[in-house]
Every structure is written in structure tokens, then in C-alpha cells.
Amino acid sequence: MSEQRPKLQNDPDAHDTDAAEPPCNEHDAFAPRNTRIAHSYDPARLLLIGPAWVGDMVMAQVLLQVLRRRWPRLQVDVLAPPASIPIAERMLEVRRAMPLCIDHGQLGLRLRRRTAAELRAQNYDWSICLPNSFKSALIPYWAHIPTRTGFSGADRRLLLNDRRRLNKKKLLRTVDRFVALGLPLRLPQPTQLPAPRLQVNRAALATTLQRLGISPPQRPLVALAPGAEYGPAKRWPVHHWSTLAQALIERGYAVWIFGSPKDAEITRAIAAAVPETLDLGGRTTLLEALDLLSLAPLTVSNDSGLMHVAGAVGSRVIALYGSTPLSMTPPLSAGAQALRIDLPCSPCGKRECPLRHHRCMEDLRPEYVLRQIFGI
């Protein structure tokens, strides 16, 4: 059988550079006369109903950059589940980040009604609902927000009065879908989008380093993010991570391993195989991990929330893809690279490998990643 070599995905048109701006004709398209929302006024206060996934929340920041270009004084509040709300706290465009503490899968009608009543006093004139669920559109409706934007479906006809049709073939990427909700109807998507940007809190970073009893690395730092909340099919095998970590240590790099408490078993296994690494799995909050990742010039990650976070704080990202389609949630930071194996069964989109061989990740060997790091 011939060797399957990884495909390197690094399309410069897919990831904007920091200073890139839309072409003039596209920027002019944001003029008030062309937008349904601004026929009679410019929106002053926006309530963004944010996603639950950390990576999706990072991508939502691109939408906020696009909105801020059009309405520089627009005040933005974000309402989202507690798991992703820390990301909103580090967005320059966000005035308030408010957690909605309802367990996953719960409707929580009483809390949603109470939250809507409290938000009514904020006099929002626009809301954008990024999740496509019925329950996510309830609060803007009950809060009496005049313009309520979101994609059609999920029986939301009465809840949303600015309904958009989702063309999944035209809007392949999640970030494009988010941005489309902030654009005037019948306007084309921008050919370029800004990369996500999150703010690093240097004082908090110093506090975190002190709490963990570590110093800023004296050698070039590579961050490893071996977890993936969605499921094991998205995770590169532990033995590959261990091989990569050992190779980096031997070449004089410092290696820190990041992950949530759910990833701690994986990070411990890698650290046990390569004791010179620093295991941070389960030892940091999401915000602490965000600040720490800013110290790493390079991050190697599965397709996960930390992949998007690392890129948004300036780390160069090498992303490892297997079961998930690269076309939907690619790394968006400038210079990011994605590696995947071209197999007939991949991407399957499953949480666990349905064929039980996990070749999409097993065959993506550490030497392929090392070639991208060192350019050999």
C-alpha cells in the first residue's frame, strides 16, 4: 500500500493578516442605506447570544470586528453559557460578558424569562443569535429587542423577525456563517476577514505563573494541546504526542502541555512518557491557559477550542485534523497550518472512529509535524 502523506492546508486567502481590510466596494456596502437594520437609525446596543463551544466563541470575535468597522460606537454585550463566556471577557469589542447558567440540554424557561426581564432595561435595539436552537432565541424575544437576527429553522419564526436563510454550500465555514448574520441582506460575503484577536492580561499572567510556581521559559516554548472536547476521534494518539514532545525536548525546546480537567488523563500520560515536559492539564482555568499560550511562539493542537485560542493570542498554530471537516472550522490565525491524511473514510464527522482503526490520526505521524515545525 502506498504511503499516505499529509495534506498541508495553509491558504493565504482563508486567513487574513492583521492589517488586512476589505476592498473599498465591500467596505462601502456597510453604509446605513444598504442595511435593513439602519434604514431609520444606527444600532446603539447589541445583545449577542453566543455559542457554547470555546472555539466557536473565538470565531464570533471576527463578527464583532466586522461590526465595529461599520458602527465604531456600537456597544456589545454577550450572553452565553459559562464554558465559553471567559473568551468573551477578553474581546476588546465587548462591554459586558454575561453567563447564562443553564445545564446543557435543559430548557430553563423560568431562568430565561427572568434573564429577559432583567435585560429589558438595557434597551437593546438589536440582537444576533448565533446558535441555531429554539431556546437560544427566547431571551431576545422576551426582552422585547426590536430587531432579532438569526438563521431560520428550529421553529423560530415567531421569535426572530430578521430571519436569514442558511446556505451551507455557500457558507462553508462557521466563521462565515457568523459574519453573515451581521451583514446587510443580499450583500456578498467579504473576500477577506480579520483574524480573531483576544486580549492577554499581563498582570494576570504574572499571577498565574507565580501560583503555578513556574517562570517564563528560558528556551523557545512549544505548547501542546492534546485534548478535544467533541470526542476521541478528533484526538491525535498519546504515543504520537509523546514522540513529538521527546523530539522537541532533544532539540532544545521547552514543552508545556495544556488541557482542561477532562484532558488531564491524556496530559499525564504524555508527561509520564517525557518527564521533561510541564503538565498543565487540569491545573489552569481557561483564562489562565489563554494568557500562558501567549508565551508560546508555536502551538501544536488537535481541532479544539485551545487551537483557536492559541492563534488568537499570537501563537503560530499547527492543527491536526482527522474526523472533522477542515472546511468548516479551520484555524483562522495568520500563518496557521493544518495537517490531515487523505483517506476515503475521512472526514467522517463522528465522535468515535466508526471503523475502529482511527487511521486518520494514527497515520498522521510525528515526523510530518516535525517537518512543518523545522521546515525539513
Side-chain angles (χ1 to χ4, degrees), residues 104-151:
H104 178 70
Q106 298 297 313
L107 192 55
L109 290 178
R110 184 175 298 177
L111 178 58
R112 291 180 195 275
R113 278 191 177 276
R114 185 165 66 246
T115 301
E118 294 169 353
L119 292 177
R120 213 170 291 157
Q122 297 297 319
N123 294 319
Y124 297 111
D125 41 24
W126 187 17
S127 68
I128 297 178
C129 188
L130 296 184
N132 291 325
S133 64
F134 172 83
K135 61 186 178 183
S136 64
L138 286 170
I139 289 177
Y141 176 76
W142 282 331
H144 302 165
I145 299 176
T147 302
R148 303 181 298 277
T149 302
F151 287 117

Side-chain angles (χ1 to χ4, degrees), residues 16 63 82 96 118 123 152 220 222 237 256 273 341 352 370:
D16 195 24
L63 164 63
R96 284 199 305 165
E118 294 169 353
N123 294 319
S152 300
V222 177
W256 293 2
I341 291 288
E352 298 187 15
L370 290 168

Side-chain angles (χ1 to χ4, degrees), residues 33-357:
R33 64 180 180 276
N34 290 323
T35 171
R36 178 171 163 184
I37 292 171
H39 275 319
S40 59
Y41 65 95
D42 282 347
R45 296 183 181 88
L46 168 69
L47 176 66
L48 182 72
I49 307 299
W53 295 101
V54 168
D56 286 358
M57 184 63 89
V58 175
M59 289 183 275
Q61 199 272 336
V62 177
L63 164 63
L64 297 187
Q65 290 189 59
V66 171
L67 293 175
R68 184 55 63 85
R69 289 177 178 178
R70 173 57 189 87
W71 293 293
R73 292 188 296 274
L74 180 67
Q75 294 182 346
V76 179
D77 292 346
V78 175
L79 182 69
S84 62
I85 205 67
I87 299 299
E89 295 174 2
R90 293 297 182 86
M91 295 181 184
L92 189 63
E93 301 82 2
V94 172
R95 181 182 66 166
R96 284 199 305 165
M98 302 171 289
L100 181 63
C101 299
I102 298 177
D103 292 338
H104 178 70
Q106 298 297 313
L107 192 55
L109 290 178
R110 184 175 298 177
L111 178 58
R112 291 180 195 275
R113 278 191 177 276
R114 185 165 66 246
T115 301
E118 294 169 353
L119 292 177
R120 213 170 291 157
Q122 297 297 319
N123 294 319
Y124 297 111
D125 41 24
W126 187 17
S127 68
I128 297 178
C129 188
L130 296 184
N132 291 325
S133 64
F134 172 83
K135 61 186 178 183
S136 64
L138 286 170
I139 289 177
Y141 176 76
W142 282 331
H144 302 165
I145 299 176
T147 302
R148 303 181 298 277
T149 302
F151 287 117
S152 300
D155 297 323
R156 305 199 295 180
R157 184 175 182 82
L158 295 178
L159 302 180
L160 301 175
N161 58 8
D162 181 27
R163 294 179 299 277
R164 309 295 181 88
R165 177 176 174 271
L166 174 56
N167 186 332
K168 293 183 178 181
K169 293 183 179 179
K170 181 180 177 182
L171 301 174
L172 288 175
R173 301 185 304 174
T174 299
V175 67
D176 295 323
R177 298 175 185 183
F178 288 173
V179 169
L181 291 176
L183 295 176
L185 287 169
R186 294 180 293 278
L187 285 181
Q189 286 284 115
T191 56
Q192 289 183 317
L193 291 175
R197 298 187 186 94
L198 299 175
Q199 305 299 305
V200 176
N201 187 322
R202 297 297 172 186
L205 172 58
T207 300
T208 299
L209 290 171
Q210 184 178 28
R211 181 183 69 80
L212 294 171
I214 57 178
S215 302
Q218 301 302 307
R219 296 175 291 164
L221 173 62
V222 177
L224 305 183
E229 185 73 15
Y230 183 73
K234 293 177 68 171
R235 299 179 193 137
W236 209 37
V238 168
H239 59 270
H240 283 350
W241 286 110
S242 301
T243 300
L244 175 64
Q246 185 63 52
L248 291 169
I249 293 292
E250 291 173 356
R251 287 168 170 80
Y253 287 80
V255 176
W256 293 2
I257 312 171
F258 289 81
S260 70
K262 294 180 181 179
D263 304 321
E265 183 178 352
I266 298 172
T267 63
R268 281 197 301 268
I270 300 169
V274 189
E276 298 88 347
T277 60
L278 175 63
D279 178 14
L280 295 172
R283 298 177 60 193
T284 67
T285 65
L286 178 57
L287 285 181
E288 289 173 335
L290 182 154
D291 292 332
L292 290 168
L293 283 167
S294 71
L295 298 175
L298 173 68
T299 297
V300 182
S301 176
N302 296 323
D303 173 23
S304 67
L306 285 183
M307 174 193 77
H308 293 284
V309 171
V313 296
S315 185
R316 173 195 166 203
V317 171
I318 294 179
L320 311 176
Y321 279 75
S323 65
T324 50
L326 180 58
S327 59
M328 192 169 184
T329 57
L332 301 174
S333 54
Q337 298 165 303
L339 286 174
R340 61 178 294 268
I341 291 288
D342 191 15
L343 295 175
C345 59
S346 176
C348 67
K350 305 294 185 182
R351 292 179 182 266
E352 298 187 15
C353 176
L355 302 178
R356 299 187 179 182
H357 56 54

